[in-house]
Amino acid sequence: MTARPANAHQARLLRLLRDNGPNSRAQLGDQVDLSRSKLAVEVERLLETGLVVADGLAASRGGRRSHNVRLAPGLRFLGVDIGATSVDVAVTNAELEVLGHLNQPMDVREGPGAVFEQVLTMAAKLKASGLAEHFDGAGIGVPGPVRFPEGVPVAPPIMPGWDGFPVREALSQELGCPVMVDNDVNLMALGEQHAGIARTVSDFLCVKIGTGIGCGIVVGGAVHRGTTGSAGDIGHIQAVPEGRPCACGNRGCLEAYFSGAALARDAQEAAQQGLSPELARRREANGTHGTLSAVDVAAAAAAGDTTSLALIREGGTRTGQVIAGLVSFFNPGLVVIGGGVTGLGHTLLAAIRTQVYRQSLPLATGNLPIVLGELGPAAGVIGAARLISDHLFSPA
Amino acid sequence: MTARPANAHQARLLRLLRDNGPNSRAQLGDQVDLSRSKLAVEVERLLETGLVVADGLAASRGGRRSHNVRLAPGLRFLGVDIGATSVDVAVTNAELEVLGHLNQPMDVREGPGAVFEQVLTMAAKLKASGLAEHFDGAGIGVPGPVRFPEGVPVAPPIMPGWDGFPVREALSQELGCPVMVDNDVNLMALGEQHAGIARTVSDFLCVKIGTGIGCGIVVGGAVHRGTTGSAGDIGHIQAVPEGRPCACGNRGCLEAYFSGAALARDAQEAAQQGLSPELARRREANGTHGTLSAVDVAAAAAAGDTTSLALIREGGTRTGQVIAGLVSFFNPGLVVIGGGVTGLGHTLLAAIRTQVYRQSLPLATGNLPIVLGELGPAAGVIGAARLISDHLFSPA
């Protein structure tokens, strides 16, 4: 088991080395505002734990040359992003650089047993390829609300078999390392904050449009999870009073109008009604089941299919209606749009932007970028590695 | 000018004495986790500044009796809450207890000159009554967004003459003490957090229904003001797609359906259309102008007028629709309803509750109290005093 920092200074030093890479003792001293002698003590203790290693001499700043230090090059984090229909598993070094990344289709409704077996197989494959000898910690994202302190999914609507399952404890035992669990949308926000488009922003929203729709909320640089871990669950915000019935039992929810699942359903209908030869052709090409997915709609739209473009635009407008309210309420510095459905790309983004800029208060949108995420499917696994490293790089 | 604490320990001690009252050195030491000798040094320095004074011997805990300390009894804060149609001014001691509180009707649209003259007159009156010899600091609330660092209202919709006016600088000069300025809704939240119903809650929403509707957002114990100071501006969240036109230029905003102003307008209409003899009677009693206010609707409802009750219920339902979305998004631990319109009381509250509990996710509402504020019009002025004391009780 990996050593932990003994105090806040050591934790701060570890995070600086994680986020900025190898550095000289002199420059680290400037950044943590510690005296030369106090810094020397803390660095010495970190060297003793093995978390930090010496890394040669730094470039001269005039006077005696300072020694470089860096995080141990053998540290390995496992990042796991369990989505509704697929699993991503990646291994990173201590600086959270992705060394290897695997993706596998998988239905989360198969339950924790089957999904964990898959995750462990993928982790073993990454080890076998020589990228890791062991894991110092693992972060796990699941597509539903999580009681964060315990790492337990709670009342997750699209993963019924997971309610109350001790994910953290079970995987910690299987993997033999510390584990932290969070909602997948929060991890996407953490990923884009660590290595993506939100690097310099401390208050932002990260809207993930996949099978469902969720929102990561970052306030003052930290993820806001809410009182029961369900913050950001925007898929069931009412978009239309007394509107379409939703799977949750209410009417007019955003997800009743738009999400990867809703888009696939609407495309299916359009194909059946003969509204789109392009979608009908793709449906047949998908074999005897004759189903369509959001990916098909994206491809049809890219091929110029007007029905598909209209469906995407309409979904973007509905999503924009809800985001507009959140922007007026929260006044973020950035809105990031990500998730599987970002294959729908700029058509979707344009519809969301139009609606938010039209409907939110000018003061809240005057200088508000609304952008696509930068990291794609890597956002979740990098966020997962970031989550566990934040935990391990905190005083024990 | 009042002295300021020299470091974070001293700031912490001042806030503890503010929030918990006089205390023994021994108990303070337990709370700030300082060694006996280090604590003695910091307390000694605070005694030298005059912010803290000795207050006799504490009760024995066995062994030598500890000395009590308290905040200087002569410290005085001025709390000012400028609403759309009235001004509240109060003086508090260092523990933020209200020693005197004045209220005066005043239209904020008369502009900063006239309003400040009124505020200064009221402050002078409080001084003349012997409650204060001077003010050590003042907090000011205004009914619109504020660029917080500078204390300047920015693009405030209902107070056009105030845009960019240097409220902090101007009042600081007039009052001869440090001044902090914030949105009135944020101050209401701070007040309910300090001395009201939100004392034990770190993540909550405080919805103020007055002439307009706004929301104070508290995250991790601190007010979230947003990137441009407009967070919580929920009056222009869309309640009905393509709904009624709103004064802001958009359609379907919450305030187009409900607020003190909208309620007065709807009551007026009902009276004119002969729908409510009770409202018609009150309208005539209001003299030749024949106007009605939200207060009239509250009184009519209390007298059993079904039209007034229906208007309040409908407004509560619309408000509840918007709050339901915010609850799903933010997952707060408490929702406080306050502001002038809380005269509408439990009819309004019941309608809001019904809608939120029906429409938000069960996980977010499972244990969510939705309650009326405890402090009434004192919330704003106590919040204002809290704001300036937080500033003064921070390291300079």
Side-chain angles (χ1 to χ4, degrees), chain A residues 178-198:
Chain A
V179 168
M180 294 288 283
V181 184
D182 204 346
N183 178 271
D184 62 338
V185 185
N186 292 341
L187 294 188
M188 180 183 153
L190 273 177
E192 291 289 350
Q193 181 187 31
H194 182 82
I197 196 135

Side-chain angles (χ1 to χ4, degrees), chain A residues 218-241:
Chain A
V218 174
V219 188
V223 170
H224 171 73
R225 297 185 172 87
T227 300
T228 54
S230 78
D233 211 335
I234 65 171
H236 301 278
I237 289 183
Q238 192 181 77
V240 180

Side-chain angles (χ1 to χ4, degrees), chain A residues 145 154 203 205 215 217 219 224-234 236-239 241-242 250 321 325-326 328-333 358-359 361 363-364, chain B residues 145 154 203 205 215 217 219 224-234 236-239 241-242 250 321 325-326 328-333 358-359 361 363-364:
Chain A
V154 43
D203 292 344
L205 301 181
C215 178
I217 307 168
V219 188
H224 171 73
R225 297 185 172 87
T227 300
T228 54
S230 78
D233 211 335
I234 65 171
H236 301 278
I237 289 183
Q238 192 181 77
E242 304 306 320
N250 255 314
Q321 270 172 16
L326 305 180
S328 291
F329 171 73
F330 184 71
N331 188 200
R358 193 171 78 87
Q359 191 184 313
L361 286 182
L363 189 57
Chain B
V154 44
D203 292 344
L205 301 181
C215 179
I217 308 167
V219 187
H224 171 72
R225 297 186 172 86
T227 300
T228 55
S230 78
D233 211 335
I234 66 171
H236 300 279
I237 288 184
Q238 192 180 76
E242 304 304 320
N250 255 315
Q321 272 173 14
L326 304 180
S328 290
F329 171 73
F330 183 72
N331 189 201
R358 193 171 77 89
Q359 190 184 315
L361 287 183
L363 189 56

